[in-house]
Amino acid sequence: MKPPTRQDTRQLVILTGLSGSGKSTVLRAFEDMGFYCVDNLPVDLIPIFAELHAAGEGDFARAALLVDAREGLQFEKLPALLKHLKKDHPITLVFIEANEDALLRRYSETRRPHPLGKNYSVRESLTHERTLMEPIRKLADVVIDSTQFNVHELRHFITTRFKNPDMRPLLVSVVSFGYRYGVPSDADLVFDVRFLPNPHFVPRLRPYNGTDPKVRQYIRSFPQTGEFLRRIESLLTDRTALTAAAAGAARFGRRDAAQCLARLVLGLDRGAAHPTGLAGYAA
């Protein structure tokens, strides 16, 4: 007997909407969430892709396609095609739009031509495109008005609406390093732990590194260690993508601090935390 498959995490999203409304930003947000993304897929290939998605496994079970006015006359086939495909496939149609003033402002800022504007002004092209898109807009499961969104707010909206509940959205790398080797160039936040007591100057602890239980017990016996970790905890939020670096005067303190930060993040269920020693940085 064939084992049952989990249908709740399978998603096929088709993105469309007005030019300048933020479709590319939305597609990148889906890609960051682990969706298999295709930009400007020809309409005639959508049924083939839908069949591949139906048989897909792993990451391919979550896919997003962007189809818009660049398709030209082929785009007129999309409403009838989607009505047919939705009978057999779990498709979510997302339509992205904005008001005319916002779209005109964005085109003025980017100086890019409208895909339908070979013989028309931007305003005329937008009016024509809105008329062309109306039948597909009526079929949309989700309509997003991006007029008041900036890029970051739009990405956050998409992430909240379509994130996979089985996946942790935040990846945290906690890196220990020594200042004499330089600060890691990809660190978003750097926490200097040189104020912590240094086990290097305790003869009985000198042979051990910061991951040894004896060293950890020594460092955590001081009140400033607990205060430091409590302050770090207050910085962690669900919307923060964090690469944390713990710096110490010796390998003892910074490695223990890195391990503590990693456990703290995992304990808060903020995401996947990976304590690492950066090659060339960790002593």
Side-chain angles (χ1 to χ4, degrees):
M1 180 178 178
K2 186 177 179 179
T5 58
R6 295 188 58 185
Q7 297 295 329
D8 55 329
T9 59
R10 296 179 59 78
Q11 292 174 281
L12 176 57
V13 179
I14 295 183
L15 307 173
T16 189
L18 303 178
S19 301
S21 61
K23 300 188 303 297
S24 296
T25 297
V26 172
L27 187 67
R28 286 193 293 269
F30 275 103
E31 189 170 22
D32 290 344
M33 288 188 290
F35 279 71
Y36 182 92
C37 295
V38 182
D39 185 9
N40 200 23
L41 183 72
V43 171
D44 290 338
L45 295 182
I46 293 178
I48 299 175
F49 191 96
E51 292 298 329
L52 292 173
H53 170 264
E57 298 179 358
D59 292 339
F60 196 69
R62 307 176 74 225
L65 311 179
L66 176 56
V67 186
D68 55 30
R70 291 173 292 176
E71 286 290 311
L73 295 177
Q74 295 297 314
F75 189 81
E76 297 178 3
K77 300 179 181 179
L78 189 58
L81 181 64
L82 283 178
K83 289 180 181 179
H84 175 73
L85 288 176
K86 279 192 169 187
K87 296 177 182 178
D88 301 313
H89 300 282
I91 294 175
T92 300
L93 178 61
V94 178
F95 189 92
I96 309 160
E97 62 183 5
N99 66 34
E100 187 171 282
D101 289 340
L103 295 175
L104 288 172
R105 184 181 68 251
R106 293 170 188 176
Y107 269 100
S108 175
E109 292 170 352
T110 61
R111 301 291 183 180
R112 296 192 63 188
H114 191 280
L116 301 180
K118 294 181 179 179
N119 301 312
Y120 303 97
S121 67
V122 173
R123 187 184 297 273
E124 292 172 329
S125 298
L126 289 172
T127 301
H128 176 52
E129 183 183 30
R130 201 178 290 272
T131 302
L132 177 66
M133 291 287 185
E134 187 58 29
I136 196 69
R137 186 185 186 280
K138 292 179 179 178
L139 299 176
D141 301 293
V142 181
V143 177
I144 301 172
D145 187 342
S146 67
T147 301
Q148 302 301 325
F149 284 151
N150 61 35
V151 172
H152 307 291
E153 291 168 339
L154 182 57
R155 289 175 62 89
H156 177 67
F157 177 86
I158 293 298
T159 302
T160 302
R161 173 65 174 77
F162 290 96
K163 67 182 179 181
N164 185 344
D166 294 333
M167 295 180 64
R168 291 178 173 176
L170 184 62
L171 175 65
V172 179
S173 296
V174 182
V175 181
S176 64
F177 73 95
Y179 268 117
R180 63 177 176 173
Y181 301 107
V183 177
S185 60
D186 58 346
D188 297 311
L189 295 175
V190 177
F191 302 107
D192 191 336
V193 298
R194 288 177 293 181
F195 66 90
L196 295 177
N198 194 338
H200 177 75
F201 298 108
V202 180
R204 64 181 176 83
L205 297 177
R206 188 171 297 181
Y208 307 106
N209 64 33
T211 61
D212 190 276
K214 300 182 183 65
V215 175
R216 293 204 302 268
Q217 183 179 6
Y218 172 79
I219 293 175
R220 297 176 201 180
S221 67
F222 295 88
Q224 55 263 47
T225 304
E227 178 65 19
F228 166 71
L229 291 175
R230 284 191 293 273
R231 289 177 179 268
I232 295 303
E233 180 179 354
S234 68
L235 294 176
L236 298 178
T237 67
D238 287 330
R239 297 182 63 183
T240 302
L242 171 66
T243 301
R251 66 181 180 272
F252 307 98
R254 64 174 179 265
R255 282 190 173 176
D256 182 60
Q259 294 282 346
C260 286
L261 286 176
R263 281 190 290 272
L264 176 65
V265 171
L266 287 171
L268 290 171
D269 197 25
R270 299 293 186 182
H274 299 281
T276 61
L278 193 61
Y281 289 94

